[in-house]
Amino acid sequence: MSRLLTSVGAMSLVLFLLVLSLPVGPQAQAMLGVAGLAAMLVIDKVAHRGPGRIAFLVVGLALVVRYMVWRMTATLPPASDVTNHVASLVVLSAELFCFLTMLLGLFAVARPMDRPRARQLAPDEAPMIDVFVPSYNESLDLVAATLAAAKAIRYPADKLKVHLLDDGGTDQRCNSPDPLKAAAARQRREDFSRMAAELGVTYHARAYNEHAKAGNLNAALMKTDGDLVVVFDADHAPSREFLEETVGHFADDPRLFLVQTPHFFLNPDPIERNLATFATMPSENEMFYGIVQKGLDNWNAAFFCGSAAVLRRSALEEVGGFSGVSITEDCETALDLHSRGWRSLYVDRPMIAGLQPETFASFIGQRSRWCRGMIQILILKNPLMRPGLSIAQRICYLSSSLSWLFPIPRAIFLVAPLLFLFLDMQIYRATMEEFFSYTMVYMAALLLMQGHLYGRVRWPLISELYEYVQSVHLLPAVWSVLTNPRKPKFDVTDKGISVENDYLSELSTPYYVIFAVLLAAVGVSIMRWSAEPEARDLILVIGLWNLLNLVVAGLALGVVSERRERRRMPRLAQTSHPAVIAVEGVAVPAFVTDVSGGGLKLRPVGDRATRVMPGQKATLRVRVETDGDETEVLQVSVDVANSGVDGEGRFVGLRFADLSPARFRLIAALVYADIDAIRTSRLHRRVRRFLPIFLVKLLGWSATATARGVSYLLRHRTGDKKTATDKSLAPASGKPAAAASAAAPAPFDMTLFSDEATDARASAQGLAPAS
C-alpha cells in the first residue's frame, strides 16, 4: 500500500507541475478550470480515500495555485498608485494568509487515522485512576450529575477514585472582603462537600484561586497518586464505558501520555439554536473532532482538549503538571509533552455528554478565551522553534494556533469591497471573463475540496458564518494578545443558563450596523453599474463579493436574535425503561420515555394510570444497572407537574423534588450510562449536501434570518433578557440532600419489577390498559 501511495504521489506531483505550466489566459484558464473541476467531481465520486484522495487534492491545489499566481501578477494596481497599491497588497496578504493556513490544514488532515479499540485489561492489570472534575461557578445539580456518572464508570472499584475540585469554595473566596460573596462561597462549600460525600466522591477546595483551571488540577495532582488521571469538565458527564475504551492503550505504550476523546454536546450552541439547525446540521465541533483530531493523530499531534481525556501522571510530573503560561492549558500541556518525546492518541468515540454556552454573549466569551490562548501559544511557545518536535508536529501545532488569527483576514475581506464601492479604490483589477476563469474556478475548487474533506461534518459556507460572527468581537481580542501576549486572564464560561424570553443579544449592535452598510453598498453598486458602463465588469465582480458578505451578515442577524429557551438541560428520549410511581399509597407501573436533569416524562399503564394527577407529590422507583449483571432500585421524590393524553397514550410530567444522591445516580443511569442513542443522532446529522441546491437553500435561509433579525430589532430591546435556573431543576424544599433524604420512602413492592412489569411493558407498547 505504501508503494502504491508513493507512486500515486509521484504521478500527482507530475500532474501538478503540468497543470501549472499550461498557458495562462482567460480562455485557456476557463478550459483548464472546467476540466479540473470535472476531474475533481469524478474522483470524489469513485475514489474518496487513499490514492484517489491524493489525486483529488493535487488537482484542486493546482487550480488554487494558478489563481494565486494570477492574483499576484495580474490584478494589482501599479506601484505608482500608492494608495490603491497598498490597499490591494493588504487584501492580497489576507488571501495569502488564508492560502497558507489552507496548506497547513491540508497537511494536518491528509491521512486521518481510525484507531482500533483499546485492549481490555484484566482487573489485576488495571492501573490506579484518579478522576478530576474541576468546578468553579457551575450549579450543584449540574456538577452532581457528572460526579454520579463518573462514579458509575465500569472499572474495579478499588482502583477508581473520583475527586471534585471546587474552585468556587476556596479559602480565598470564603474569606472574601465582600460579605455576600464570602457567604455564598461558604454555603457552596458546605453543599458541595456534603453532596460529594453522599456520592462517595472526595471533595477538594484549595486555599487560593491561582492559575485558574491549570492551578486547580495541579493542586489535586499533589494530593493524589493514581497512575492515570482522567479529566471531565463539570458539565461533561461520562458514559460507563469510558475507561474500557481508553485505558488499555496505556498498557501497550509506555510513552503514551494522552488518550483524548471527542466532546459531544446535548444542547445546541447559540448559532444552532437561534437558526434552528441543531437537529439537522452537523455541529460546529464535528469538523474538529471528526476529521482534524484524527488527522493530527496520524502525525502524533492530537492534543489535550481540557476534558474527556486520560493522561499519564508520570508524564505530567515530568513537566511540572498542567501548563499554565497560556489560558489554554490543555493544548499547551500537550505541546510541552510532545516536545519531550511523549506520544498521544485520539479515540473517535463520543463517550461524554456536555453542555455548550447557551447565550451568544457566553459563546463569544468562550471563543475569545480559546482564541487568545492559542495565539499566546503561538507567540510564547512558538511550535516552529520548539525543541524536540518533529517537522510534522511543528506544522500541525502551527496550523492549530495560526488559524485563530482568522478575525484579521475576515475583517479585511469584509471591508475591501466597500473601499471600491464607496471610495472607488482600485483594489482588485479584473474583467468579467477573468473573474469567471480564475476567481469562480478558484472558489469552486475550494468548495469541492471542503466538501471532499469535511462534507459530512461541515456544510458549505458554514465556516464563513461562524468566523464572521466571532470576528466582530474577537478582532480586539487578537490585537490585545499580539500587543501584550501575557495579559489575557482565564474566564470561566457560564453554562446551564435558561433564556425565558426572546431578546436581542447585548452584543448585537455591530451586526446591524455592518448589515446596514453592506445593504447600502448593494444600492451603490447598482447605481454605479448603471452610471459607469465602462467599468461594469469590475463593478459586478466587486458587487457580487459584497453580496456574498451580505448573505452571511443576514444570517448573523438571526444568530444574535436569541430564541426563548427555558429548559436548562435538554430532555433525552429513552427507550421505555420500567418504573413505578407511588402516589397516595397507590403504586402505578409506568415507563420512562425521556429524562433531563430536572425531571422525567412517564407513560403510566394499567387501570390506575389516571390516579396520577398534577400537583401531587410522589415517589418514583426505578431499577438500574450497577456492575455487571447486578441491579439496584433507586427511589426519588418527585412532583407531578402535568399529565395528559397524546397520540401515544397517557403521559405524566415529573419534576425532581430534592437534591438527593439517588436523583443524580438515576440521571447518570438513564441519561449517561449508555449513550448509543446520542452517538446515533450524531451520525444521523452527518449528511453531505448537494452543493448547488444547498447554496440556493442558504439564500432562503439568510432571507429568513434577516427578516427575523429585523423583527427582533423592532420588537425587542437589546439586552432585555430574563435568564434564570430552570425551575424544574430546583428542589421543592430548597434544601440540599441531607434534609431531603430524611423522609423515608414508602415500602416498595419488588413484584412490580418481575413478570408483571413485562406484561405492563407489552400493554404500554400496545396502548392497551393493563389488568
Side-chain angles (χ1 to χ4, degrees):
M1 184 65 180
S2 60
R3 183 176 298 176
L4 175 61
L5 289 175
T6 302
S7 300
V8 172
M11 294 174 61
S12 299
L13 179 61
V14 172
L15 177 63
F16 179 79
L17 296 175
L18 176 64
V19 171
L20 292 185
S21 65
L22 291 176
V24 176
Q27 292 183 347
Q29 171 64 19
M31 295 176 61
L32 179 64
V34 170
L37 295 175
M40 293 175 71
L41 287 171
V42 171
I43 296 172
D44 185 55
K45 293 296 184 183
V46 302
H48 198 77
R49 291 183 174 273
R53 184 186 184 93
I54 296 175
F56 178 92
L57 294 178
V58 165
V59 175
L61 191 58
L63 295 178
V64 171
V65 171
R66 282 185 68 92
Y67 164 80
M68 296 304 304
V69 172
W70 168 78
R71 181 76 175 87
M72 290 185 291
T73 59
T75 65
L76 299 178
S80 57
D81 185 357
V82 177
T83 301
N84 288 330
H85 188 73
V86 170
S88 184
L89 286 177
V90 171
V91 177
L92 178 61
S93 298
E95 290 188 70
L96 290 172
F97 173 82
C98 293
F99 178 63
L100 172 62
T101 56
M102 182 194 73
L103 292 179
L104 295 175
L106 288 177
F107 176 85
V109 303
R111 298 179 63 186
M113 176 173 285
D114 289 305
R115 291 279 183 178
R117 295 189 66 181
R119 178 166 65 88
Q120 300 302 299
L121 303 180
D124 59 341
E125 293 181 282
M128 297 293 295
I129 292 180
D130 289 310
V131 176
F132 291 168
V133 181
S135 175
Y136 179 70
N137 62 351
E138 296 84 2
S139 64
L140 177 59
D141 56 328
L142 195 66
V143 176
T146 299
L147 296 176
K151 284 289 293 183
I153 292 176
R154 283 192 292 264
Y155 201 75
D158 60 333
K159 295 186 175 183
L160 178 67
K161 297 179 181 179
V162 180
H163 305 265
L164 171 59
L165 317 182
D166 183 21
D167 249 12
T170 58
D171 295 346
Q172 177 183 350
R173 293 177 63 83
C174 289
N175 297 318
S176 170
D178 184 329
L180 293 178
K181 291 182 179 179
R186 288 193 293 270
Q187 185 64 53
R188 176 187 174 92
R189 177 185 283 191
E190 178 182 344
D191 293 343
F192 277 57
S193 60
R194 181 190 297 116
M195 177 60 72
E198 292 178 337
L199 288 172
V201 171
T202 304
Y203 177 85
H204 300 270
R206 54 188 178 140
Y208 299 99
N209 297 84
E210 295 177 329
H211 305 297
K213 182 179 177 181
N216 196 8
L217 293 171
N218 287 332
L221 273 178
M222 297 176 64
K223 299 178 181 178
T224 55
D225 56 6
D227 303 301
L228 302 178
V229 171
V230 180
V231 180
F232 296 122
D233 280 347
D235 60 311
H236 283 187
S239 65
R240 299 190 66 195
E241 64 184 333
F242 186 88
L243 294 180
E244 294 175 339
E245 300 293 335
T246 54
V247 172
H249 291 295
F250 287 91
D252 296 332
D253 185 353
R255 292 296 295 173
L256 181 68
F257 82 89
L258 169 72
V259 173
Q260 178 65 56
T261 71
H263 295 181
F264 182 85
F265 300 102
L266 298 176
N267 66 317
D269 67 34
I271 296 175
E272 294 168 326
R273 189 187 78 248
N274 294 331
L275 295 181
T277 63
F278 182 61
T280 56
M281 186 178 74
S283 292
E284 185 220 8
N285 64 310
E286 281 293 279
M287 187 172 83
F288 176 73
Y289 288 111
I291 301 294
V292 175
Q293 276 281 53
K294 293 170 67 174
L296 296 176
D297 192 20
N298 179 66
W299 306 112
N300 186 29
F303 58 82
F304 179 36
C305 298
S307 180
V310 189
L311 300 101
R312 193 184 296 271
R313 177 183 294 273
S314 59
L316 290 170
E317 290 175 343
E318 184 177 308
V319 294
F322 294 89
S323 306
V325 173
S326 74
I327 57 175
T328 47
E329 81 296 328
D330 40 18
C331 183
E332 183 189 347
T333 300
L335 175 62
D336 288 346
L337 286 165
H338 276 135
S339 68
R340 287 176 174 255
W342 290 89
R343 289 186 286 272
S344 64
L345 182 151
Y346 177 68
V347 174
D348 186 26
R349 183 176 177 84
M351 291 178 288
I352 63 101
L355 293 179
Q356 300 191 87
E358 288 82 357
T359 67
F360 183 69
S362 58
F363 171 82
I364 292 297
Q366 179 193 67
R367 299 312 168 94
S368 176
R369 174 166 59 83
W370 294 355
C371 174
R372 289 176 292 150
M374 293 302 288
I375 298 174
Q376 279 184 298
I377 291 175
L378 178 64
I379 297 173
L380 301 177
K381 295 193 172 182
N382 188 341
L384 285 180
M385 308 302 294
R386 186 79 175 174
L389 295 177
S390 67
I391 294 176
Q393 287 175 322
R394 294 177 194 278
I395 294 173
C396 290
Y397 272 106
L398 183 64
S399 174
S400 298
S401 54
L402 200 63
S403 63
W404 278 99
L405 291 173
F406 71 82
I408 298 175
R410 182 61 55 187
I412 293 172
F413 296 148
L414 185 69
V415 172
L418 302 178
L419 296 178
F420 170 79
L421 293 172
F422 286 115
L423 303 177
D424 198 27
M425 293 180 63
Q426 305 295 314
I427 56 172
Y428 190 99
R429 301 173 63 187
T431 65
M432 184 56 63
E433 184 181 20
E434 291 173 328
F435 174 74
F436 280 103
S437 298
Y438 288 95
T439 307
M440 291 301 291
V441 168
Y442 160 74
M443 294 178 66
L446 287 182
L447 288 173
L448 287 176
M449 291 170 72
Q450 183 187 55
H452 184 84
L453 294 172
Y454 312 115
R456 294 188 180 276
V457 296
R458 178 64 56 83
W459 290 351
L461 297 181
I462 298 303
S463 291
E464 283 69 19
L465 172 61
Y466 272 90
E467 287 189 2
Y468 168 70
V469 297
Q470 294 177 77
S471 294
V472 173
H473 293 286
L474 262 57
L475 189 60
V478 170
W479 177 251
S480 70
V481 182
L482 292 177
T483 55
N484 188 352
R486 296 187 181 276
K487 180 180 179 180
K489 302 298 182 183
F490 190 100
D491 297 317
V492 178
T493 304
D494 290 331
K495 303 284 184 67
I497 297 175
S498 60
V499 180
E500 295 191 342
N501 297 311
D502 294 340
Y503 75 98
L504 272 179
S505 171
E506 56 268 44
L507 303 182
S508 64
T509 300
Y511 300 93
Y512 284 91
V513 173
I514 293 171
F515 182 84
V517 173
L518 295 176
L519 186 60
V522 171
V524 171
S525 63
I526 294 173
M527 290 188 295
R528 289 191 58 182
W529 189 86
S530 300
E532 304 174 33
E534 72 284 353
R536 282 180 175 175
D537 284 357
L538 184 57
I539 293 171
L540 185 57
V541 169
I542 303 298
L544 289 173
W545 182 357
N546 179 73
L547 189 61
L548 178 61
N549 286 340
L550 183 67
V551 170
V552 175
L555 285 168
L557 295 190
V559 170
V560 298
S561 301
E562 299 274 25
R563 291 182 186 269
R564 168 182 171 178
E565 177 58 77
R566 289 187 176 180
R567 191 179 302 282
R568 193 175 60 138
M569 286 286 288
R571 285 191 181 276
L572 297 180
Q574 295 285 322
T575 55
S576 295
H577 194 104
V580 174
I581 181 170
V583 181
E584 298 178 350
V586 178
V588 181
F591 296 97
V592 178
T593 58
D594 66 55
V595 61
S596 76
L600 311 94
K601 182 179 180 180
L602 299 182
R603 292 205 177 272
V605 296
D607 55 3
R608 290 172 286 183
T610 56
R611 301 288 294 272
V612 185
M613 302 294 292
Q616 294 175 319
K617 295 187 178 298
T619 299
L620 181 70
R621 305 176 181 117
V622 183
R623 184 183 293 280
V624 299
E625 178 186 351
T626 53
D627 285 322
D629 296 327
E630 297 183 9
T631 62
E632 69 171 322
V633 175
L634 295 177
Q635 303 185 101
V636 295
S637 298
V638 293
D639 295 325
V640 182
N642 55 69
S643 65
V645 178
D646 58 19
E648 299 182 22
R650 187 169 184 80
F651 69 86
V652 174
L654 304 177
R655 283 196 300 263
F656 292 120
D658 57 32
L659 293 175
S660 66
R663 164 186 172 176
F664 300 110
R665 293 170 64 196
L666 178 63
I667 293 170
L670 296 184
V671 178
Y672 305 117
D674 181 0
I675 61 173
D676 279 342
I678 293 175
R679 284 192 285 263
T680 299
S681 69
R682 176 191 186 223
L683 295 177
H684 178 72
R685 293 155 62 187
R686 287 185 169 188
V687 179
R688 293 185 70 178
R689 303 302 299 265
F690 182 58
L691 183 60
I693 293 178
F694 180 73
L695 292 179
V696 173
K697 182 179 178 65
L698 192 70
L699 293 175
W701 191 14
S702 177
T704 301
T706 301
R708 194 167 67 86
V710 172
S711 70
Y712 269 55
L713 182 63
L714 298 176
R715 292 187 292 117
H716 302 290
R717 182 163 57 87
T718 302
D720 182 20
K721 65 177 179 178
K722 294 181 180 178
T723 59
T725 301
D726 190 336
K727 295 179 181 179
S728 68
L729 296 177
S733 64
K735 298 178 181 179
S741 61
F748 178 56
D749 183 2
M750 292 298 295
T751 62
L752 288 172
F753 279 104
S754 60
D755 292 337
E756 288 184 33
T758 304
D759 296 338
R761 179 190 296 273
S763 299
Q765 292 174 342
L767 300 180
S771 59

